[in-house]
Amino acid sequence: MQEASLLKHLTLAVMRGQIRASQDPHRPGWHLAPCVGLLNDPNGFIYHAGYYHLFYQWNPLDCRHGSKYWGHWRSTDLVHWEHQPVALVPSEAYESHGCYSGSAVIADDLITLIYTGNVKYPDGSRTAFQCLAQENDRGEFDKLGPVLPLPAGYTGHVRDPKVWQHHGQWYMVLGAQDLQLQGKVLLLRSDDLHQWQNLGEIAGSNLGGLGPFGYMWECPDLFRLAEQDILIFCPQGIPAETERYRNTFQAGYLLGQLDYTDASFSHQDFHELDAGFEFYAPQTTAAADGRRLLFGWMGIPDEDELYQPTVAYGWIHTMTCPRELSLQGDRLIQQPARELTALRREQRQWQGRAQDAPHFPISSAEMIIDVSVPFTLELGHKLMLEWDGARITLSRNNLRTGLREFRYWRGQLHQLQLLCDRCSIEIFINQGEAVMTSSYFPAEPAQAIFNGSAELCLQHWLLSSPMLE
């Protein structure tokens, strides 16, 4: 379908669906969400000329994972966002089944997008092209076409390029599946973003001491932080363990050193980035002040998505809040971006036994809880957080089966920071030592209800709801 026709159908979907979506009681107050349809991976997250740009995978025509467009927001402060023209529409033969995920760089002082053109064939096979599009003076993006066909030795599952510059050359990490159906990350190099040399596999299943580690690695992102190189990626096909890898697919990282000369990456063990129910496809960028920032998709592929009640209102999924990354020893720390404190209003403090605490509103709120001894916290009558002195257990009823499901974190607890919105809760443990991110759908204005004899010291803020313009 040609671009003009696709844009007509997109416009119709937005005109028909936006009022219905805005009437959803679970519509977020301050998290980024699609105006209609399905949102998934953050793409092209970059800072340029005074603006943060965040592109995103978007199916405006349905709440299912159909043919993907790239939507586009921008912001000066990570809090107030405004819509920009739709960046990519899957109108060309080399992207016939979607403009899949990718990244952005600044080349010739213009934002250049690098993305995967996804093509599926009637016999069930597929291929992938890595493609470029460049910003024009109207704030739109002109497609420059494919710059990298499917590499030899891999299935059609090759996607999600993340590109950066090092010593005057461009480098790309690319998620891939080899012909033995093992997940890999490829490293490529270019002088001009157009001609790419495949330097080989730098990480993957049965590489670097990992052993078998999934049939596909998606959404790689490699960056340097505190003299270490960090490879973030999403391995698919990791067997669930008692307390780890509980989601259908995972998101995590490897800490190590990338040798650009040898195209090798020596790394430590894999760590999950989030211990909650919904977190996937994170992407990072460097802020103007040098901080490393991250957005993630608050969702999981192929995991009961269509049972979420927002589908009845014609939309599904949000981004996480923006997060700042730092290193403490060999662990990656995630904290809410400091800019989010601008949302705070009506501060309230309380101290005493958990069971004596008032019920705090959490439809759009932040709480910081200093506590070390066991207690329980019920969130919106949907999520239960239990701390037993050694382990946090987060539980809820599965939307499809109705059965109770659980996620875990184990360690020594001294503080929780909760960022709450109408359909989500992000729980930062010990100033970002761990995070538990989850969607949830309270049936009434949500409250936090404490129980137990633990002594709490608690701060609470209501959070404002900036308009997405």
Side-chain angles (χ1 to χ4, degrees):
M1 193 182 295
Q2 293 183 347
E3 183 166 283
S5 179
L6 289 169
L7 288 171
K8 290 175 184 177
H9 285 276
L10 181 156
T11 304
L12 179 61
V14 171
M15 289 190 296
R16 284 179 171 174
Q18 201 162 12
I19 293 177
R20 181 167 59 127
S22 68
Q23 295 170 341
D24 189 348
H26 295 125
R27 190 78 183 166
W30 57 273
H31 281 83
L32 289 167
C35 54
V36 297
L38 176 140
L39 169 149
N40 58 302
D41 303 5
N43 293 155
F45 184 28
I46 197 166
Y47 181 84
H48 179 57
Y51 287 96
Y52 292 96
H53 294 262
L54 183 64
F55 303 82
Y56 57 97
Q57 290 283 278
W58 184 31
N59 179 7
L61 307 181
D62 203 335
C63 289
R64 293 174 171 83
H65 288 273
S67 190
K68 299 295 175 64
Y69 299 57
W70 275 38
H72 180 195
W73 296 302
R74 74 175 187 177
S75 171
T76 59
D77 61 4
L78 296 173
V79 174
H80 301 89
W81 294 84
E82 58 183 14
H83 291 290
Q84 295 296 287
V86 174
L88 296 175
V89 175
S91 58
E92 306 298 330
Y94 56 78
E95 58 190 13
S96 59
H97 289 75
C99 301
Y100 274 25
S101 289
S103 55
V105 296
I106 306 304
D108 300 322
D109 204 35
L110 296 171
I111 298 175
T112 298
L113 308 181
I114 305 98
Y115 68 99
T116 298
N118 184 45
V119 177
K120 296 180 181 179
Y121 299 113
D123 63 1
S125 62
R126 63 195 293 165
T127 193
F129 300 92
Q130 311 313 316
C131 310
L132 294 183
Q134 191 170 61
E135 179 184 22
N136 62 33
D137 57 10
R138 299 183 302 278
E140 302 166 3
F141 287 83
D142 299 323
K143 293 175 184 175
L144 305 181
V147 294
L148 182 68
L150 188 70
Y154 298 90
T155 73
H157 291 279
V158 176
R159 53 182 173 266
D160 310 336
K162 181 66 189 290
V163 176
W164 71 99
Q165 200 166 30
H166 176 75
H167 290 174
Q169 291 187 302
W170 297 103
Y171 287 85
M172 174 196 296
V173 282
L174 194 58
Q177 180 187 68
D178 68 19
L179 298 180
Q180 290 71 48
L181 307 186
Q182 300 292 300
K184 307 290 184 181
V185 169
L186 311 181
L187 180 68
L188 300 96
R189 182 174 60 209
S190 174
D191 293 324
D192 60 4
L193 295 176
H194 292 266
Q195 301 294 323
W196 290 91
Q197 177 188 3
N198 186 356
L199 303 179
E201 300 170 357
I202 60 165
S205 185
N206 291 310
L207 292 178
L210 278 180
F213 212 75
Y215 59 79
M216 176 63 193
W217 284 22
E218 291 193 316
C219 305
D221 186 347
L222 197 148
F223 56 92
R224 193 154 181 84
L225 192 63
E227 305 306 315
Q228 298 284 329
D229 293 311
I230 299 170
L231 176 64
I232 287 177
F233 63 100
C234 295
Q236 297 184 331
I238 307 301
E241 298 180 3
T242 302
E243 295 185 1
R244 298 192 304 169
Y245 312 151
R246 303 295 302 173
N247 293 332
T248 301
F249 301 126
Q250 320 311 320
Y253 67 94
L254 299 170
L255 180 67
Q257 294 289 338
L258 176 65
D259 188 321
Y260 284 88
T261 303
D262 295 339
S264 62
F265 180 57
S266 58
H267 59 78
Q268 301 177 20
D269 293 336
F270 176 79
H271 296 284
E272 287 186 275
L273 273 166
D274 199 286
F277 288 98
E278 277 93 16
F279 181 87
Y280 198 74
Q283 188 169 111
T284 75
T285 196
D289 60 7
R291 285 176 297 158
R292 178 60 54 168
L293 301 175
L294 175 149
F295 271 103
W297 169 36
M298 206 179 300
I300 299 287
D302 305 326
E303 194 164 83
D304 302 330
E305 294 170 87
L306 294 179
Y307 291 88
Q308 295 187 13
T310 69
V311 171
Y313 291 85
W315 72 278
I316 187 170
H317 297 312
T318 73
M319 293 297 175
T320 67
C321 75
R323 302 175 182 180
E324 297 182 18
L325 302 183
S326 60
L327 270 181
Q328 289 184 6
D330 61 354
R331 297 307 297 260
L332 192 61
I333 303 300
Q334 302 175 71
Q335 294 176 292
R338 63 195 67 177
E339 287 86 349
L340 295 178
T341 59
L343 297 171
R344 292 174 175 174
R345 58 187 177 88
E346 298 183 32
Q347 183 180 14
R348 183 179 177 187
Q349 297 184 337
W350 187 87
Q351 188 169 353
R353 291 192 306 171
Q355 63 200 40
D356 299 327
H359 296 178
F360 288 90
I362 57 169
S363 290
S364 185
E366 178 181 353
M367 287 195 298
I368 296 178
I369 308 161
D370 294 313
V371 62
S372 59
V373 295
F375 75 103
T376 63
L377 175 56
E378 184 180 283
L379 298 160
H381 299 295
K382 292 293 184 179
L383 280 172
M384 179 66 74
L385 186 152
E386 301 174 80
W387 163 245
D388 65 8
R391 183 177 75 173
I392 290 175
T393 300
L394 190 66
S395 62
R396 69 182 186 189
N397 290 339
N398 182 279
L399 291 172
R400 176 176 58 85
T401 67
L403 300 175
R404 205 70 180 166
E405 54 186 356
F406 304 89
R407 299 293 183 268
Y408 306 98
W409 174 83
R410 189 175 290 275
Q412 289 300 311
L413 176 65
H414 58 82
Q415 187 186 85
L416 295 174
Q417 181 179 11
L418 279 68
L419 292 179
C420 309
D421 210 338
R422 298 186 185 105
C423 61
S424 66
I425 292 183
E426 297 172 78
I427 303 167
F428 294 82
I429 301 167
N430 297 341
Q431 289 86 36
E433 178 184 341
V435 192
M436 303 181 87
T437 300
S438 298
S439 299
Y440 87 131
F441 305 96
E444 54 190 341
Q447 294 182 317
I449 303 172
F450 292 87
N451 206 348
S453 58
E455 287 289 323
L456 305 178
C457 182
L458 188 148
Q459 299 178 77
H460 176 274
W461 295 266
L462 297 178
L463 298 181
S464 60
S465 298
M467 182 179 296
L468 178 59
E469 297 179 350

